[in-house]
Amino acid sequence: MSESSQVAIARAELLQALRYDCVTFLSFYLQDELSMAVPDFHEEIWHELLGFVEQANQPAVMRSLRKLFAVPREHAKSTLAKLAVILFLKYTPFAFCLYVSKTNSIAKNAIRDIIIWLSSPQERELFGPVNTVKSSETESVWIIDIWIKGPGEVEPRSKRCIFKALGADQQVRGLLILNRRPELIIVDDIEDLDNTKDATAQAGLDEWFTGS
């Protein structure tokens, strides 16, 4: 077998593993940040996320899916949430991610991390460079073309994705960018001591969350 054939097979195997294997996916994007073995409960969470990916790809199923993960502090829950964005944008029809955190600044930092991973050297080597269409700190909006590879497709293709950062209490209704509304909403750690310090503060947060 020629060297080019071996490289092609290795690339195809990596693409397949990224789609279905938690450890491969996390290792690929985190690289040296992954300093220890992936915990079993991270793999369990990822397995549930993969189940949601399958549901989101069913054309006859209404894609209104909700999932709550209660993960203790210092257990990389935000890292998993950010990587889950990549998983869903690459392997489902979703193309508009709304990332919600306690503050707009925290949400913007999360989106920056996601875009750094999508622009990483290993991503460029496997797929190619991403194309930045828009990057607006003031609007908290990023639009980039990422590379995806669907079932049965021989080569990766480009997909335009929208990222919007939002802080708790900011307006959600009416959000429309490029004639699209958010399809994937990540709510990451929106509570803190201020918005849960008493019953009134908690009620205000709950009203915003359930009414948005």
Side-chain angles (χ1 to χ4, degrees), residues 5 11 32-33 43 80 83 90 94 129 132 149 157 159 161 194 204 209 211:
S5 297
R11 181 174 182 268
D32 292 340
E33 295 178 59
E43 294 198 55
L80 284 178
L83 288 167
K90 278 189 171 286
F94 302 157
T132 301
K149 183 177 180 296
R157 58 184 171 84
K159 174 182 177 181
C161 293
D194 289 329
F209 182 75

Side-chain angles (χ1 to χ4, degrees), residues 106-175:
I106 294 174
K108 286 198 291 188
N109 285 337
I111 291 176
R112 291 190 198 102
D113 288 343
I114 295 167
I115 293 175
I116 287 172
W117 286 328
L118 288 169
S119 308
S120 63
Q122 64 272 20
E123 175 85 5
R124 292 198 304 270
E125 183 178 354
L126 185 61
F127 293 104
V130 299
N131 174 48
T132 301
V133 178
K134 180 173 183 175
S135 177
S136 174
E137 293 282 341
T138 55
E139 297 178 45
S140 305
V141 172
W142 290 260
I143 302 173
I144 66 173
D145 296 332
I146 70 170
W147 292 99
I148 65 169
K149 183 177 180 296
E153 295 179 345
V154 177
E155 291 295 331
R157 58 184 171 84
S158 180
K159 174 182 177 181
R160 183 151 296 180
C161 293
I162 304 165
F163 299 84
K164 170 69 176 176
L166 207 70
D169 289 335
Q170 288 190 288
Q171 177 71 29
V172 178
R173 291 186 182 276
L175 187 57

Side-chain angles (χ1 to χ4, degrees), residues 59-80:
V61 177
M62 180 178 179
R63 296 195 300 268
S64 180
L65 309 172
R66 299 182 184 183
K67 186 67 178 181
L68 171 66
F69 290 103
V71 180
R73 290 191 178 276
E74 307 302 325
H75 283 72
K77 62 180 180 298
S78 292
T79 299
L80 284 178

